[in-house]
Amino acid sequence: MNQKQMVGEKAAEFVEDGMIVGLGTGSTAYYFVEAVGRMVAEGMKIVGVTTSNATKLQAEKLGIPLKSVDEVDHIDLTVDGADEVAPDFSGIKGGGGALLFEKIVAERSNMVIWIVDESKLVDKLGAFPLPVEVVTYGADRLFEDFQEFDYEPSFRLNDDGSRYLTDGGHYIIDLHIFPIEDPVIFGRQLKLLTGVVEHGLFTNLTSKVLLASPQGVKELLA
Ligand code: 5RP
């Protein structure tokens, strides 16, 4: 079993009958969703809230009952991957392009667990490009602003060179800034720019990190 599968399946142990569960996105969250699918097939009653079209498709195939975030008044637990995790459990997400829906779901969750391997642990955030989701109208002007701020922006592209569109119908501009000394303040500054929908800095949202390593899975404390 690979490390992503190990940690995804470990996280599924936190799911209890009757819960409303946020289902994350990415190659690690994939294994969590698969495990939840098996638990549902065995009779567990849960409702899933997905964080991307890709996860929705996966969950539907597995027969997991789903509701949208607008149809539930809370989410008990969300399990998701991350691209970088700092010692205070601030992190960067959005490598898979799902940051907006992931953050909407995380903010409505009573508990958020991240599932990662050791390669995701960092002292300071920013070596991984920081995704910023922007409305398509005016995106080139915003890109120029980011250039002027020396954020070294690049548009997220598809394999054919066209601009990547998120599930919300927006572009992603990846910023290259290292280190991000204060993710809370920097996140706030980004949100003030007109046209920015969301950014991939996740702060004060995650209560538990499950870390996979060749030695097994352990729980990290912030
Ligand atoms: C998607 C995400 C993912 O959770 C993040 O990119 C980690 O993915 P993976 O588990 O495939 O490394 O934020 O938007």
Side-chain angles (χ1 to χ4, degrees), residues 5 36 55 61 70 80 85 87-88 91 117 129 133 138 149 154 159 166 170 185 202:
Q5 185 170 358
V36 170
T55 301
K61 276 192 197 144
D70 289 310
D80 205 347
V85 184
D88 64 355
D117 61 34
E133 185 156 345
F149 301 150
S154 54
D159 290 343
T166 66
H170 307 119
I185 301 278
F202 281 53

Side-chain angles (χ1 to χ4, degrees), residues 55-70:
T55 301
K56 186 161 183 274
L57 270 178
Q58 183 191 2
E60 280 170 352
K61 276 192 197 144
L62 293 166
I64 300 173
L66 298 178
K67 284 192 175 173
S68 87
V69 74
D70 289 310

Side-chain angles (χ1 to χ4, degrees), residues 132-147:
V132 181
E133 185 156 345
V134 303
V135 293
T136 56
Y137 187 79
D140 290 276
R141 301 288 79 78
L142 211 41
F143 186 90
E144 286 168 358
D145 291 342
F146 289 147
Q147 280 178 319

Side-chain angles (χ1 to χ4, degrees), residues 23 50 76 78 102 108 112 130 164 192 196 198 203-204:
L23 305 172
T50 57
D76 294 293
T78 288
E102 289 174 331
R108 302 291 158 184
V112 175
L130 173 65
Y164 175 84
L192 286 175
V196 167
E198 196 44 80
T203 51
N204 302 313

Side-chain angles (χ1 to χ4, degrees), residues 4 25-29 80-83 92-99 102 115 120 128:
K4 291 182 184 205
T25 295
S27 59
T28 317
D80 205 347
D83 299 302
I92 289 182
K93 284 184 52 55
L99 60 138
E102 289 174 331
I115 47 176
K120 307 288 182 72
F128 191 91

